[in-house]
Amino acid sequence: MTTALTCPVCAHDVPPGPSCARCDWALSGGPWLDVDAHARRVEFHAALTAARRAFDVNAAVLAAGGDRELLRRVLTHVRGGAPEDAVRAEPAAHRTEPLAAVGALAMDLVARQGELAVVDVRLDGVAVARIDVKERYVPALTGAVRLHTWRDLMPALPQDPDELALVLAGGVGRDQRREPVELAGPALGSNVLVLHRLPGLPIPDEFVSRFSCVRLVARDEPALTASVVASWVERAPLRHDVSLVLVDVDAQGGTRPVTRTLFTAGTSAVHVPVAKLTVGAPAGGREPVVLAVVSGPAGTPPRQCVPISVARCELRPSQPHELEFRLDGPGEVTLVRPGGSPDDTTAARWPELLDDVPARYLSDADALDLVVAVELGGSAKSVEPRRKLAVDVLAHLAVHHPEPESVRVVVVGYDDHLRTRTVLRTTRGFVALRDAEDFTASLPHSEPIEPKGAPIEDVLAAACGLKWRPLPAARRLLVIGSRPPHPAVDAAIGRCPQRHDWRYLVQQLDSRHVAHAAVWDRPSWAERPNDEARLATQAWHALAGPRRPMLLSGVDAAFVVKEAKALRDAAPQAPLLFPLVLKN
């Protein structure tokens, strides 16, 4: 049986030779006469004690890493006692990285590899955090951060933490009877990042040597904990694009869910990035719009993307809106503008929520462009019923139209031709129902000049010059008046000073799909059996065509709205809950 040679200074097994290859202690020397054996034994013991002390002191300084209090405690385990000046010794300096920078590297590795084991090598042991990309492509801890003590990895190490630090640094200490065993390690997988806080300490260096991705971190940086990993995740780059789900509508009304990128892969919340996107709000507005922020590789269909956040937001129907989102983390996107709130119930229906998108959608199916013309010529008593009917028609639409926000109105009050007076009193283009109602209620009456004619032709010319919305938006003209338009040829009453031909203008409106209706406040002279009455009746029939003109004395707002076809007869289309792609 052979016994390995152990160095009395460093306590390591050494091959046969004149000196220890590790600490350079002389293991053998030439013979000497036993003339002064006692003196030589004393001298040898003193030299051995000094060598052991120096060896342990160097290890103690290395173990303390500049911590004076720790050094003081570790020195109590030095063989032979520590010299006074050992407390002032400084360890070798190592270039370390901030923990935040290493965390950024960790998140980058997770984004590329999908999983990572982070190992924190420190005096109390080896802490292991396993990070994985979850179902939302968001990195997160898999289980708790587990600490493996050095005695778990190498049972022969001492229990006392100060003596343990000394031994980790290569010292021997006062307990010299430990049997060396192989340093074990936890199963970590192939993707490992090591945070090495103990460079230069032999046992930790031996453990770290088996890994390729190692970063030196200062001891006073925070220990690896769940909260540290959470702070890394907040600043982690996106693994995939983060996008908003929209609906693209083609020229025939066919719908197709699509995504528009808000934040590209690799973006992080370090600089609090904000994304702005202008979308269209669908018509109807019967329910809040669904703003679904999803994540997935570029080009992934919306149905296969993972929802990051799903919110409901009130958007004014049929209008463009600029949305603003803020990236607060890889799985945290906040709707900044306009206001909205997360909707867990809606989010739980993803991706079945996309099944509710109608196959066809017409953005202007319920839209209405309406021109209401009111004759103001006459006494206050005669004008008031016309004005009131116009106000009632607008109020009826505000209540009964399926989408009042999609109704645009131009109100035209017309006087007689006179150079010193405005012929038309009109809104500035199309306005909302409520504004049109207020404008109509404020229209004043005026004294008539031509008893047998009014400038309706000027109203028709103004209607032809409007910017009507394209079909299928409904286009309607409603004239409420008493006297017929001025003729285009010489007759008993004067021609229009602007030389407008009202019949030609009616044809122009017909060609532009502007349906017209008329409410006639028929004067008494129009009931006589003469040419003037006959021409007036013909004119009002043409203004109302193809229907007959409604008589002011026998109608109400609901009847006029129905006759003018200002409300669609068809059932309303299925609601669209997602915002729309705006077309250039």
Side-chain angles (χ1 to χ4, degrees):
M1 179 176 180
T2 59
T3 302
L5 181 64
T6 301
C7 175
V9 174
C10 64
H12 281 69
D13 293 342
V14 294
S19 62
C20 176
R22 188 166 187 265
C23 66
D24 204 31
W25 174 257
L27 299 175
S28 63
W32 45 276
L33 295 175
D34 192 14
V35 175
D36 193 6
H38 177 72
R40 295 300 299 267
R41 284 194 299 272
V42 171
E43 180 184 353
F44 175 81
H45 180 72
L48 179 59
T49 299
R52 286 174 170 174
R53 179 191 297 114
F55 184 82
D56 283 354
V57 165
N58 289 335
V61 171
L62 185 61
D67 185 338
R68 297 300 179 87
E69 176 58 27
L70 177 59
L71 177 59
R72 185 189 63 76
R73 298 198 310 269
V74 173
L75 285 174
T76 62
H77 298 277
V78 168
R79 291 169 294 174
E84 292 294 333
D85 59 349
V87 179
R88 294 189 292 272
E90 294 291 341
H94 296 274
R95 179 173 295 179
T96 60
E97 298 181 61
L99 188 62
V102 180
L105 171 63
M107 292 300 99
D108 183 62
L109 292 173
V110 171
R112 289 190 277 113
Q113 300 170 354
E115 61 179 0
L116 183 70
V118 182
V119 178
D120 189 9
V121 180
R122 57 202 196 210
L123 282 176
D124 59 345
V126 174
V128 178
R130 300 179 186 276
I131 306 173
D132 196 0
V133 174
K134 301 300 182 181
E135 66 278 0
R136 295 192 305 155
Y137 304 119
V138 178
L141 272 175
T142 301
V145 178
R146 182 181 176 187
L147 177 65
H148 303 268
T149 67
W150 286 109
R151 281 181 57 82
D152 293 336
L153 306 177
M154 194 173 184
L157 293 175
Q159 294 184 2
D160 183 87
D162 297 330
E163 187 178 5
L164 172 64
L166 177 66
V167 176
L168 291 177
V172 177
R174 289 179 294 191
D175 183 5
Q176 304 178 50
R177 292 172 294 180
R178 290 179 297 276
E179 294 295 331
V181 296
E182 183 178 354
L183 180 62
L188 298 173
S190 58
N191 300 320
V192 181
L193 171 64
V194 177
L195 315 183
H196 192 8
R197 302 175 189 264
L198 308 175
L201 277 64
I203 292 180
D205 281 346
E206 179 186 348
F207 175 82
V208 168
S209 65
R210 67 190 69 183
F211 304 105
S212 59
C213 188
V214 179
R215 292 294 185 271
L216 301 186
V217 176
R219 297 190 192 185
D220 57 358
E221 290 277 7
L224 183 65
T225 61
S227 60
V228 167
V229 175
S231 69
W232 292 353
V233 169
E234 290 177 356
R235 304 165 68 88
L238 296 174
R239 189 179 189 195
H240 298 301
D241 292 351
V242 169
S243 309
L244 181 68
V245 176
L246 306 176
V247 172
D248 188 20
V249 182
D250 61 26
Q252 289 72 42
T255 61
R256 181 173 62 96
V258 297
T259 58
R260 289 294 181 267
T261 302
L262 298 175
F263 305 102
T264 58
T267 305
S268 72
V270 175
H271 302 295
V272 194
V274 172
K276 297 179 180 180
L277 184 65
T278 301
V279 303
R286 290 178 283 274
E287 293 187 51
V289 175
V290 174
L291 299 182
V293 178
V294 299
S295 179
T300 302
R303 188 177 295 274
Q304 299 175 21
C305 290
V306 175
I308 294 295
S309 92
V310 177
R312 289 280 196 154
C313 181
E314 296 281 356
L315 297 180
R316 187 174 182 182
S318 303
Q319 300 293 324
H321 296 268
E322 185 179 64
L323 309 179
E324 185 173 331
F325 298 87
R326 184 181 67 242
L327 180 64
D328 295 326
E332 299 293 334
V333 176
T334 301
L335 175 63
V336 179
R337 180 170 57 87
S341 58
D343 191 314
D344 295 336
T345 302
T346 304
R349 295 188 57 221
W350 186 267
E352 290 77 13
L353 191 64
L354 294 171
D355 296 337
D356 296 339
V357 176
R360 285 181 55 79
Y361 168 81
L362 299 176
S363 60
D364 291 328
D366 292 321
L368 169 65
D369 281 355
L370 172 66
V371 175
V372 178
V374 182
E375 181 180 346
L376 302 178
S379 65
K381 183 178 180 180
S382 62
V383 170
E384 178 56 26
R386 306 171 202 157
R387 182 172 53 207
K388 182 179 184 305
L389 178 62
V391 171
D392 291 346
V393 165
L394 297 174
H396 185 86
L397 284 173
V399 173
H400 296 282
H401 195 277
E403 189 186 344
E405 296 284 352
S406 70
V407 179
R408 305 191 312 170
V409 183
V410 170
V411 177
V412 183
Y414 58 95
D415 299 311
D416 282 43
H417 285 300
L418 187 66
R419 292 181 181 179
T420 59
R421 188 171 65 202
T422 302
V423 174
L424 303 181
R425 303 176 186 272
T426 181
T427 56
R428 294 183 178 180
F430 286 103
V431 298
L433 271 171
R434 186 62 61 190
D435 296 334
E437 188 177 339
D438 294 341
F439 180 84
T440 305
S442 66
L443 288 173
H445 76 95
S446 62
E447 293 299 324
I449 297 175
E450 170 56 62
K452 303 295 177 66
I456 297 178
E457 66 279 0
D458 288 34
V459 173
L460 300 177
C464 287
L466 292 174
K467 293 183 178 180
W468 301 84
R469 277 180 290 186
L471 300 175
R475 303 171 180 179
R476 301 289 184 264
L477 168 66
L478 173 64
V479 180
I480 305 173
S482 175
R483 294 167 293 168
H486 293 81
V489 296
D490 291 334
I493 61 174
R495 299 174 59 184
C496 172
Q498 309 296 333
R499 295 295 188 263
H500 290 311
D501 184 339
W502 70 269
R503 292 185 181 276
Y504 171 78
L505 292 172
V506 168
Q507 292 174 359
Q508 289 297 303
L509 291 174
D510 289 340
S511 68
R512 298 176 189 181
H513 304 283
V514 179
H516 38 92
V519 178
W520 189 15
D521 183 11
R522 185 166 60 183
S524 57
W525 60 263
E527 300 179 9
R528 299 170 184 170
N530 56 35
D531 289 341
E532 290 180 349
R534 179 179 56 82
L535 292 175
T537 301
Q538 290 177 350
W540 278 101
H541 275 260
L543 291 172
R547 287 177 167 78
R548 295 171 59 86
M550 296 169 276
L551 295 180
L552 180 64
S553 59
V555 298
D556 59 12
F559 183 80
V560 172
V561 168
K562 180 180 178 181
E563 288 295 300
K565 293 187 176 181
L567 291 175
R568 291 192 334 121
D569 295 331
Q573 63 180 342
L576 181 62
L577 298 181
F578 290 89
L580 302 170
V581 175
L582 283 184
K583 305 292 186 179
N584 293 330

